[in-house]
Amino acid sequence: MIWEKNKECMPREDLEQLQLERLQSTVYRVGTHVPFYRNKFNEMKLEYDRISSLSDLKRLPFTMKQDLRDNYPYGLFAVPLREVVRVHSSSGTTGSATVVGYSRNDIKTWSNLVARILCSAGVTADDVIQIAFGYGLFTGGFGLHYGAERLGASVIPISSGNTKRQIQIMQDFKTTALVCTPSYALKMADVMMDMGINPHGLSLRFGLFGAEPWSESMRREINERLGIRASDNYGLSEVMGPGVAGECAECNGLHINEDHFLVEVIDPDSMEPVAPGEVGELVITTLTKEAFPVIRYRTRDLTRLIPEPCPCGRTFQRMSRIMGRTDDMLIIKGVNVFPTQIESILFDIEGTEPHYRLIVDRENNEDKLTVMVEAVESMFFDSMKKQRGLVEMIKKKMATELGISVDIKLVEEKTLERFNGKGNRVIDNRKL
Ligand code: DLL
């Protein structure tokens, strides 16, 4: 059974009881098997067999990315290697790599949870799913693959890259669901245009996108261009990979798989919980992982929990789409700006293409943000006056909505690099 109604719609009281039991066994597991946690618990004089309510979570130590690095490669594993059947690693764009491991049960749970997310997005065993995430140490390819197979769908494990071939296969194999990053979905739409293929003539109905932040405006753009329903799904390798949270057909926030993950939202500075519904850093404790459990993992991802119940009937809490990472946030002249905010503004402006770069410089001790954005082709044949008008309009919108002045540089269509996987749209030249 993939649509696990008895779990996903479980009364909160029962869920909390289940979470408590699972938290107790996870804390016991790491306290007895992982020296890193045992030492931390001892230092804090925490009796790890004495967790009696969910509020005891607050007494547990946080785990940071650095802790994973310090214990590279296997130091935080809670089972001997012979019980580990899979290893993944995060590439470490912002530092050295980290390694995570899965027991046979972990792989089973992971597949179930990804299947659950695919199912809640509307995908069924009748779908043909093209997985355009990289297969390898990145959790995206294999994670979605196992989940899609578990669902019983027909899986095309094409991996990332070679966009023309992707589109050819999509056409020939009658793909109904595309799985990749939202950036790559946009690139596919562009390449389809170049190939003279009308996306609306394909069999594609669903897009399951994740692994990077995106905006509501980008979703609209993708939906319109590809003629699909795009939904968001979230996860991170340190905690499992994809399968942590995903949107239901309402496409209005991601249900967190709370029977396997306990979440908190904290103020990243004070590390205290934020008021209910406020934005903060997501902190996750795994409840069922065997090989690589983590306690209060600080994701660095910013979101808020949505307190209202979802019309779909699921009782698992929703979180809003990830707004950005604490380490993505740009501070421009003292104002906090997230790339997704800029994306949202740009995508709603007529005359621009959904491709942009943000370049940050510091000149004479002053921050300067330049937004490079592709203008539609016709704009370049238009008068300078029209182009200037567009630039002024974008500047004004940014000033009103972000509270800072930015420079806008229109560039010709297709001049900015496209992404096959996670996009990186910020170039910060400040030596801070
Ligand atoms: O990106 C796992 C994944 C693969 C999720 C495929 C969904 C689909 P990592 O490479 O460890 O794992 O990167 C995790 O990516 O902390 C977020 O900052 C970001 N991220 C993942 N999903 C989303 C999303 C995978 N839906 C990091 N929206 C996380 C925004 C996301 N950011």
Side-chain angles (χ1 to χ4, degrees), residues 297-335:
Y297 185 71
R298 291 192 56 180
T299 64
R300 300 273 170 207
D301 292 321
L302 292 164
T303 185
R304 56 181 279 268
L305 296 177
I306 302 173
E308 298 81 31
C310 184
C312 77
R314 286 177 180 79
T315 50
F316 289 168
Q317 286 190 92
R318 284 172 297 161
M319 62 178 205
S320 74
R321 55 168 67 258
I322 300 290
M323 299 163 57
R325 294 176 53 79
T326 48
D327 36 19
D328 270 357
M329 185 178 77
L330 295 167
I331 305 181
I332 311 284
K333 297 178 198 162
V335 178

Side-chain angles (χ1 to χ4, degrees), residues 29 33-34 74 76-85 101-103 106 289-293:
R29 170 181 283 275
H33 289 80
V34 186
Y74 299 137
L76 294 184
F77 283 23
V79 298
L81 262 189
R82 74 179 312 271
E83 285 174 34
V84 170
V85 299
Y102 303 77
S103 68
D106 291 335
K289 291 274 292 293
E290 291 181 345
F292 196 86

